């Protein structure tokens, strides 16, 4: 019975996290099953672990050495950029290498997408692409100050 409750609660929290970005194109990445692949890492944080940052959800997918998935991420982020209320984007050689997108939600909350992509620079160095989705009450200026300044 205890194992059943653990599995049930994990399914419930996965459902909540999966539905968070449902109105965005990047939901395809998070709901794709890519996290089961060897070349993909997924992180999901929710609740108390994010309270210090005034966030309610943090979700990321990072892919290493898979240009097909990286290209799909890039295209989906570009689609979501059309709906963003605030954005910063950088391209290199015609490809998106960085994006920060902000979306105003109800109740004074915001949703954010970060995208970063590095291409293979030397033999034996794999290309990496990552999409991060965050939600919370942190304003776009606070997010920029906290995450985008060096």
């Amino acid at each position: 019975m205890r194992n059943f409750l653990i599995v049930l609660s994990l399914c419930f929290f996965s459902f909540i996290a999966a539905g968070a970005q449902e109105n965005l194109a990047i939901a395809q990445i998070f709901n794709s099953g890519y996290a089961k692949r060897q070349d993909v890492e997924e992180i999901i944080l929710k609740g108390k672990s994010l309270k210090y940052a005034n966030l309610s959800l943090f979700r990321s997918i990072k892919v290493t050495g898979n240009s097909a998935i990286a290209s799909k991420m890039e295209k989906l982020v570009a689609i979501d950029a059309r709906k963003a209320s605030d954005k910063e984007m950088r391209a290199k050689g015609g490809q998106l290498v960085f994006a920060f997108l902000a979306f105003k939600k109800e109740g004074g909350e915001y949703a954010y997408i970060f995208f970063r992509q590095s291409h293979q620079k030397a033999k034996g160095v794999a290309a990496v692409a990552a999409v991060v989705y965050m939600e919370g009450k942190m304003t776009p200026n606070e997010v920029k100050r906290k995450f985008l300044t060096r």
Side-chain angles (χ1 to χ4, degrees):
M1 180 67 171
R2 182 173 175 241
N3 289 341
F4 173 75
L5 291 175
I6 291 171
V7 170
L8 184 63
S9 63
L10 287 173
C11 290
F12 175 72
F13 287 116
S14 295
F15 176 75
I16 289 172
Q21 65 281 340
E22 69 185 28
N23 295 327
L24 298 170
I26 62 157
Q28 291 178 40
I29 295 294
F30 290 109
N31 300 330
S32 65
Y34 287 146
K36 297 173 186 164
R37 296 175 52 97
Q38 289 286 89
D39 55 355
V40 175
E41 295 176 42
E42 181 177 34
I43 298 171
I44 301 173
L45 300 173
K46 189 169 176 61
K48 290 181 183 180
S49 62
L50 295 172
K51 190 174 183 177
Y52 76 94
N54 210 10
L55 295 171
S56 55
L57 176 65
F58 175 97
R59 194 162 185 198
S60 72
I61 290 221
K62 179 176 106 176
V63 61
T64 304
N66 189 318
S67 60
I69 296 175
S71 177
K72 183 168 185 166
M73 289 171 142
E74 179 182 345
K75 288 175 183 153
L76 294 173
V77 168
I79 290 168
D80 286 333
R82 296 178 201 148
K83 297 184 267 185
S85 58
D86 188 4
K87 64 184 161 193
E88 289 183 31
M89 300 173 75
R90 291 184 203 107
K92 186 175 183 179
Q95 289 187 301
L96 186 63
V97 293
F98 171 80
F100 164 73
L101 311 176
F103 306 87
K104 186 130 174 83
K105 297 181 71 172
E106 293 179 14
E109 287 214 349
Y110 293 87
Y112 300 99
I113 296 173
F114 289 96
F115 173 74
R116 182 114 177 128
Q117 179 172 217
S118 67
H119 300 285
Q120 184 175 357
K121 295 177 182 157
K123 190 174 183 178
V125 178
V128 177
V131 173
V132 174
Y133 175 83
M134 300 186 316
E135 284 184 358
K137 293 197 180 276
M138 194 182 293
T139 67
N141 285 335
E142 290 173 316
V143 170
K144 287 177 187 178
R145 248 189 335 270
K146 196 168 219 165
F147 296 106
L148 298 181
T149 57
R150 292 182 183 185

